[in-house]
Amino acid sequence: QVQLVESGGGLVQAGGSLRLACAASGGIISINDMGWYRQAPGKQRELVATQTRGGRTNYADSVKGRFAISRDNAKNTVYLQMSSLKPEDTAVYYCNAEIIPSYPSAYVDYWGQGTQVTVSS
């Protein structure tokens, strides 16, 4: 079955960098959008960045100029390069992908288990 596995989270100092990765595996026919969401303590989940299969990107205003999303479609993997990290970026980051699995043959939203990013001041 299809699953998304995130990696790369951790604890960093303000101003530092982290690179998150999310690999989709299992019976996959195709993947449309892939992206990252985050949820900080006491706050609602919010979109961070998304990228279509063709390469179009969308970023939350709060991360523009600091984060960069990229994809390796051959590896069914999406990355999030995070730079100039701020304490306000502290959250659990979740990978999301719109995938047509082998069964059923229709787009389904899949979510990873989440990876903790903590930025200390």
Side-chain angles (χ1 to χ4, degrees):
Q1 53 186 352
V2 174
Q3 63 176 351
L4 305 178
V5 179
E6 300 106 330
S7 62
L11 173 64
V12 298
Q13 298 286 322
S17 299
L18 283 174
R19 191 189 193 202
L20 307 183
C22 170
S25 63
I28 296 171
I29 301 299
S30 65
I31 303 177
N32 190 19
D33 293 352
M34 299 187 81
W36 295 90
Y37 293 73
R38 67 186 182 186
Q39 187 166 18
K43 295 189 175 182
Q44 295 184 352
R45 184 178 61 190
E46 64 177 351
L47 183 147
V48 177
T50 61
Q51 186 168 21
T52 68
R53 183 174 182 86
R56 297 190 188 99
T57 59
N58 183 46
Y59 294 93
D61 288 343
S62 60
V63 306
K64 286 181 179 177
R66 300 189 298 118
F67 291 10
I69 190 170
S70 61
R71 290 175 64 164
D72 185 339
N73 290 333
K75 296 181 178 180
N76 290 332
T77 299
V78 63
Y79 305 91
L80 185 68
Q81 178 66 50
M82 304 184 293
S83 301
S84 301
L85 283 162
K86 303 183 292 186
E88 293 76 23
D89 296 316
T90 295
V92 177
Y93 284 70
Y94 296 93
C95 178
N96 172 258
E98 187 182 29
I99 296 173
I100 297 180
S102 297
Y103 182 85
S105 294
Y107 277 114
V108 177
D109 275 340
Y110 288 88
W111 293 88
Q113 79 285 356
T115 185
Q116 177 70 48
V117 172
T118 302
V119 184
S120 64
S121 59

